Structures are given as structure tokens and as C-alpha cells.
Amino acid sequence: MARDVEYTLELLVEFGLVTQEQIDAARSEIEAVRSDLDVVDMLIKLGYLNAADLTSMLAQQYGMEIVDLAGYDVPPEIIQALTPEIVRHFQVVPVMRHDDVLTVAMSDPTDLETLDSLRYYLGRDVDAVIADAGQIEKLINRYYHIEDRNVEGVLEELNEDDGSSYGGHGAAGALGGAAVEEDEENAPIIRLVTRLILDAYKVGASDIHLEPMEKHYRVRYRVDGALREVEGPPKYMQSNFTSRLKIMARLDITEKRIPQDGRIQVRMENKDIDLRVSSVPATHGESIVMRILDKASIQLDIPKLGFYSDDLEIVTRIIGLPDGIFLVTGPTGSGKTTSLYAFLNTINTVSRKIITVEDPVEYQLPGINQVQVDRHVDMTFASALRSMLRQAPNIIMIGEIRDYETAEIAIQAALTGHLVFSTLHTNDAPGAVARLVDMGVKPFLVASAVRAIMAQRLVRRICPYCKEVVAPTKHQIKMLGFSQEYLSNHQFYKGKGCEKCGRTGYKGRLGIYEIFMLTNEITRLIFRNEPTGVIREAARRDGMRSLRDDAIRKAEAGITTLDEVIYTTLMDEN
């Protein structure tokens, strides 16, 4: 398997073992003689780099042990752990086995694909030590005599054996089921990363936060909207850990001064998982956040989003309109994208052409044309929208209206017979009107094009396994303005905390909603450019239920707690 040459070269320069001029000279030599050597091997051949120094540097960078294989005798039972075909193909040799962990010697730890592939083909955990490539070759020649067989064919046979694979390929397969040892400090970086992601996925985390502190490396999972700290790698492994994740996300590992964004695609437990990776420089290192996007878990059934029957009826009527704009508002992480995907999935039929423009495309929806924003090639929301309209769509979804240009095109599309879905960042539904006007959209255009606006938040569900009746506290009664008559007619609940919910009392989340319909009266108020407060009061008179109203009735039904009601809707009731 090929080493990660570019990463190795970056390390060599950083450690001062070679200069950029020497690297350029090695590249020129390769081109001149048309050599099959990579740049690192050519540096060694030209005498610019000592092989022992290379091995020492890689061992230090990856926190791995160097083993001298000169005169090393490998026990027969260890030799039999790998076939000649696999040994030759991956250029590794087994040197030790402890419990169910096989340790192999390899010459280059940057070739992380080899470890992933070995785990995949063997169906067991594989550890690694570093050894000189020449010594590894001598041991292979000494112990293994490969027959005249097709190596790829043998590997395909191993792949087809259900008992010897994790059910995936390469790194994704390793993430899908790698066994993890308890001795984390001695485990290679690949095993730590595997454990981190796999554990987060198993507890249902939506985000993984890796935060470098002064004296420790903190790891937190966001589960049901709340952060919980878990055991992280030791502080001295922080740099190696960050480098591994940045390599997986195809980020520039040499750039540590500016924020970077990337993606990791893995397969875990027979599911395709995307991780959206964000790296930001912090005081004590690079802070990394990984958003876990489970394609199989996205809820595309509108009733399961948490709508009561009356709200469900309104939403169904809105998404059945032939034209106009339907906006979904709320802060980041409030479930806006999930709601939009559920709406599109419901109205996605062969008779309708649906196009979306997103940044990024988080989930792939079958039968829908999805466009990814790419500012590097001037593919902005506005430019993508102009092109989309020439595709004659019936329905358009815009990931977010961020500026006047995008808003203007969306309104034009709505006024020319298209049904447009999009999002805005506002605290409540009526506030979206003022937001559009602030962008420069004329009030009469807002009133003419927008059909409805829905604000939403996510509240945590009470764990059904430890649910119990509780009396509201004085603080809750004061904050929510409950009367004694009201309290005498309603019961409330909370989760006591159990193993099923990680002792939190919550398990899962659902939405609370505020649906703002633009009635004739509301339209007249917008035409007159009335303030948000006036428009909101008129909407309440027309029957609009606020976010807090919806949250309270879900607390009354024993779905969520009063603490969640107060916390989630505090900003909306000032």
C-alpha cells in the first residue's frame, strides 16, 4: 500500500530533516530518469535523508514503538496469522499477538489504509510497530514463500468470507466494527479515532467536540441537544489525534492558523455516515467539531416530527399550495433542514420537478435534484437559483436566504408560479417579515409572495423508561405564569434517570412549532410596514399558537418537561 507521501514530506520539513530545495531536487530527478520511486525514497537514494531518521520521526509523530527486526525470530503460530498473499500485498510482517490483538511491523505509519484493510480482512483488531522496510522484506523472504496465485483473487476470497470481515471496506469497514482494547494510551491513533466515532454513534450523539485545554484534551458528545463529557485521549496525543482527523477530512494539516471545513465518509453498522468536520485554531491547539449525519436516521415522515393534528393539518395545506414561499425559521440546530426534507419527501412525486440548492447538501433525497453551493467557483445561492429557474422546476428549496439577492430571486420565483421553501435565522415566525424587509425586500413583495412562516425549536423527550409525575416548582410556576386553577387540572412529568437514558432523564427530541399564516389582515399590516409586535399580536388574534404554547401542551401530555419549556422558549417570551 502507498504511503501518504505529501504528509510525510510536510513532516520532514517541519522536523528539519530535509529542505524544500532537496524535495524539489528529488522530484526533478524522478522526472528526469522516469523513476518509479516516490519522493521520499528518492530523497534517501540521493543521500538527502537517512532511513533511520525517517523511521524515528514517524515513530515520534505517531507515538509508535520502533522495533529492530535484525535477527528477530517470529514464532510459528504468529507467522500463521497472516497468509503469504496478505504479507506481500501489504508489506507487513506479524511480530506478536496478545489476546485477540495482532501486532504487525510496518515501515510507514502514514499508510493508515493498510491498518484499516488488515482489520477488515482479518476480522480482528490490529496494532502496529515501526520497523525498517528492508528488515521487513528480509523477514518476509525468510518466513513466507508465496505460491503462483493471484493476490487480488485471494483478497477477494477473504472479502467474501462473512466470518472474516466487518461488513465494509477500508477505513469505513474498520469504523464499522473494530474491536477496541481498554489500554488506550498504547493503542495506535487509528484505534482511538475508531473508538471515538463509534462510541459517539452508539449513544446517538449529533456532534463530537474535541477541545484542547491547557492540561488535558477534552472530548464531549452532544446527545439530545446537551453536551456530556467522555473520556478523551491523553494530552500528549492531541497533535497526533488532530492530524489523523484532518487527514481523514482532507484538510491541510500544515495550516493551523485559520479555520478549515471538511467531510469524512464512513460506514458503521451497515449504515453510511457522513461527518461534517470543522477545525478552528484555539489557544491550546486546534478545536475540532464533527457533526454526525446519519442518512438512515433522518426523519422524513411529517407526523413523526412532533406536530399535533391541528398543526399537521395546517402544514399539509401549506405544502400543497401551487406557489408562494414557505419559510422555516429558528437558530442553528433547531431541526429546520429536517423539516424541509420531510416536506419535500411528502410532496415528491413523478409529476413534480424539485430542485434544491444547499450549503452543504446534508442528506441525499432520492428523486430530487440537489445542488451544492461552492463559492470557489462562484456557485452561490443566487447564481444557483438563476440556473435552477431555467430548469423549469415546480418546487424549489433554498437552504437559507442570507442576502437581498437571494431573497429577490426567491420572491420572483414564488410570484411566477413556483412553490419555494427556505429558512431564515430569526427568533420567531413574525420576525421573519422584518428580517426580509431589513434585507431590502419591499413590504408589498413580502406580503404578496410569502404564504406562511414556521418557527421551530427542539425539546428533549422524557425517557419513557423512568418517567414519573412531579409537582411544578415555584420557579416554574412563576416563569410560566400558571394559575392555581390551571395547576389543579394538569399533571406534569420528568425522567428520574436510568441506564436507558444515561441517567439524564431524557431520550430523543421532538419539535415545537409556531405557524404564522399570512391572512388578509396580516397582509394589510405588512403593506403598511407595521412593527413586528403589532403583526405578532394580530397573528395571535387569528389563532397563531406560540412556541411556548406548543411546548406547554407537550409538557401537559407528558412528552417533555417544564424545564425544557422554559429553557427552549425563554427568548421568545420576553
Side-chain angles (χ1 to χ4, degrees):
M1 308 298 285
R3 63 159 61 98
D4 188 336
V5 175
E6 294 305 319
Y7 179 45
T8 304
L9 293 175
E10 290 166 359
L11 289 177
L12 288 171
V13 173
E14 185 176 332
F15 275 73
L17 295 179
V18 298
T19 64
Q20 187 60 50
E21 289 74 18
Q22 291 171 329
I23 292 174
D24 293 339
R27 293 188 194 276
S28 299
E29 181 67 16
I30 290 172
E31 293 179 4
V33 301
R34 297 183 179 180
S35 173
D36 292 332
L37 296 178
D38 64 34
V39 182
V40 176
D41 287 334
M42 183 57 75
L43 287 168
I44 295 173
K45 182 179 178 180
L46 294 174
Y48 296 144
L49 175 65
N50 182 281
D53 290 340
L54 171 66
T55 302
S56 177
M57 178 202 73
L58 293 174
Q60 180 180 344
Q61 180 69 10
Y62 280 81
M64 294 170 68
E65 180 184 354
I66 300 176
V67 174
D68 184 2
L69 297 180
Y72 190 85
D73 292 321
V74 184
E77 65 272 15
I78 303 301
I79 290 294
Q80 294 172 7
L82 295 180
T83 66
E85 293 83 7
I86 289 181
V87 167
R88 291 286 183 188
H89 183 73
F90 293 110
Q91 283 297 295
V92 298
V93 64
V95 293
M96 184 177 67
R97 181 167 57 197
H98 178 68
D99 294 333
D100 197 38
V101 181
L102 179 69
T103 299
V104 300
M106 60 191 300
S107 62
D108 183 22
T110 66
D111 183 11
L112 298 171
E113 184 180 351
T114 285
L115 284 176
D116 291 339
S117 299
L118 284 172
R119 291 187 178 99
Y120 171 75
Y121 291 125
L122 297 177
R124 66 166 59 177
D125 202 3
V126 179
D127 207 338
V129 293
I130 303 178
D132 178 75
Q135 292 183 348
I136 291 174
E137 183 65 28
K138 286 180 181 179
L139 278 187
I140 292 175
N141 292 334
R142 177 181 172 188
Y143 288 108
Y144 295 93
H145 304 284
I146 192 165
E147 301 172 7
D148 187 17
R149 301 174 64 192
N150 181 279
V151 174
E152 295 299 334
V154 173
L155 296 177
E156 287 179 10
E157 291 174 15
L158 288 168
N159 188 20
E160 292 169 0
D161 181 359
D162 291 338
S164 64
S165 74
Y166 290 118
H169 296 277
L175 285 169
V180 180
E181 293 298 305
E182 292 300 320
D183 188 6
E184 291 184 9
E185 291 189 4
N186 296 323
I189 299 300
I190 180 65
R191 284 170 52 202
L192 283 175
V193 172
T194 297
R195 175 174 179 174
L196 177 84
I197 298 175
L198 188 58
D199 285 355
Y201 175 73
K202 285 184 175 179
V203 300
S206 60
D207 303 273
I208 304 172
H209 293 250
L210 298 99
E211 303 159 315
M213 303 288 108
E214 182 178 4
K215 296 183 179 179
H216 74 286
Y217 194 35
R218 184 168 70 175
V219 177
R220 295 191 288 176
Y221 296 158
R222 188 179 296 279
V223 182
D224 295 333
L227 286 169
R228 63 173 71 165
E229 187 166 355
V230 298
E231 184 179 358
K235 177 69 175 177
Y236 73 85
M237 298 189 76
Q238 173 182 312
S239 176
N240 295 339
F241 212 84
T242 300
S243 295
R244 169 58 178 160
L245 286 170
K246 291 177 73 173
I247 289 171
M248 293 174 67
R250 300 183 182 276
L251 303 180
D252 183 356
I253 65 169
T254 64
E255 182 55 76
K256 302 175 182 179
R257 300 164 299 172
I258 61 174
Q260 296 186 70
D261 295 304
R263 297 189 85 147
I264 298 173
Q265 292 183 322
V266 297
R267 187 168 178 81
M268 292 186 287
E269 298 183 350
N270 295 319
K271 293 182 179 179
D272 292 321
I273 309 295
D274 281 353
L275 294 101
R276 202 164 70 201
V277 182
S278 171
S279 173
V280 175
T283 304
H284 302 292
E286 292 175 88
S287 175
I288 293 180
V289 176
M290 293 183 282
R291 169 71 59 87
I292 300 174
L293 305 174
D294 183 358
K295 298 175 183 178
S297 69
I298 183 172
Q299 186 55 257
L300 297 178
D301 188 1
I302 293 179
K304 293 181 180 178
L305 295 178
F307 289 105
Y308 273 141
S309 58
D310 50 357
D311 285 343
L312 180 60
E313 182 181 345
I314 295 172
V315 167
T316 302
R317 187 167 70 249
I318 295 169
I319 65 176
L321 293 171
D323 55 30
I325 296 177
F326 182 20
L327 294 173
V328 180
T329 76
T332 301
S334 59
K336 299 187 299 295
T337 300
T338 299
S339 293
L340 288 177
Y341 280 173
F343 299 157
L344 294 180
N345 186 63
T346 300
I347 59 180
N348 181 21
T349 63
V350 293
S351 62
R352 289 171 170 158
K353 184 177 180 68
I354 303 176
I355 304 181
T356 75
V357 54
E358 306 171 59
D359 183 22
V361 174
E362 294 190 359
Y363 299 96
Q364 306 248 335
L365 300 175
I368 293 177
N369 302 277
Q370 294 174 269
V371 177
Q372 169 77 50
V373 167
D374 187 349
R375 291 174 179 80
H376 294 101
V377 293
D378 199 31
M379 176 66 84
T380 62
F381 278 111
S383 61
L385 267 172
R386 291 191 189 93
S387 299
M388 286 164 53
L389 290 174
R390 291 193 287 270
Q391 296 274 315
N394 301 103
I395 298 164
I396 297 170
M397 193 271 272
I398 308 166
E400 182 184 350
I401 295 178
R402 299 176 179 175
D403 51 45
Y404 170 74
E405 189 177 13
T406 305
E408 181 185 38
I409 299 171
I411 287 174
Q412 289 175 356
L415 294 176
T416 54
H418 301 85
L419 181 59
V420 180
F421 294 91
S422 190
T423 70
L424 275 178
H425 284 281
T426 60
N427 285 334
D428 61 8
V433 173
R435 179 77 181 95
L436 289 172
V437 172
D438 287 343
M439 286 183 185
V441 180
K442 300 298 183 183
F444 77 90
L445 287 176
V446 176
S448 302
V450 178
R451 297 286 180 265
I453 304 167
M454 182 179 81
Q456 71 174 75
R457 301 288 189 278
L458 293 176
V459 293
R460 291 184 288 177
R461 289 179 181 267
I462 298 173
C463 174
Y465 301 100
C466 57
K467 181 177 173 181
E468 62 180 10
V469 177
V470 292
T473 65
K474 291 182 179 179
H475 172 71
Q476 291 170 343
I477 294 171
K478 179 180 178 181
M479 290 295 295
L480 298 173
F482 291 156
S483 66
Q484 287 302 317
E485 180 182 359
Y486 173 85
L487 291 173
S488 64
N489 293 316
H490 294 88
Q491 226 172 24
F492 297 97
Y493 303 81
K494 76 169 187 177
K496 185 177 181 181
C498 64
E499 292 183 3
K500 297 278 189 180
C501 60
R503 305 291 175 187
T504 64
Y506 298 98
K507 194 170 181 64
R509 290 191 291 176
L510 82 159
I512 56 171
Y513 304 96
E514 175 181 274
I515 303 175
F516 171 48
M517 298 290 295
L518 271 70
T519 61
N520 290 333
E521 181 185 358
I522 298 296
T523 300
R524 285 193 293 270
L525 293 175
I526 295 173
F527 263 106
R528 296 202 300 265
N529 202 17
E530 294 286 353
T532 299
V534 174
I535 294 174
R536 183 176 182 81
E537 286 302 317
R540 293 297 296 269
R541 289 195 300 271
D542 284 344
M544 184 189 77
R545 185 180 296 105
S546 71
L547 286 165
R548 176 161 288 186
D549 293 337
D550 195 39
I552 288 175
R553 64 174 179 168
K554 284 166 182 172
E556 293 171 354
I559 300 173
T560 191
T561 65
L562 292 179
D563 281 339
E564 280 291 287
V565 173
I566 294 170
Y567 173 77
T568 309
T569 65
L570 186 61
M571 293 298 296
D572 305 291
E573 297 296 324
N574 290 339

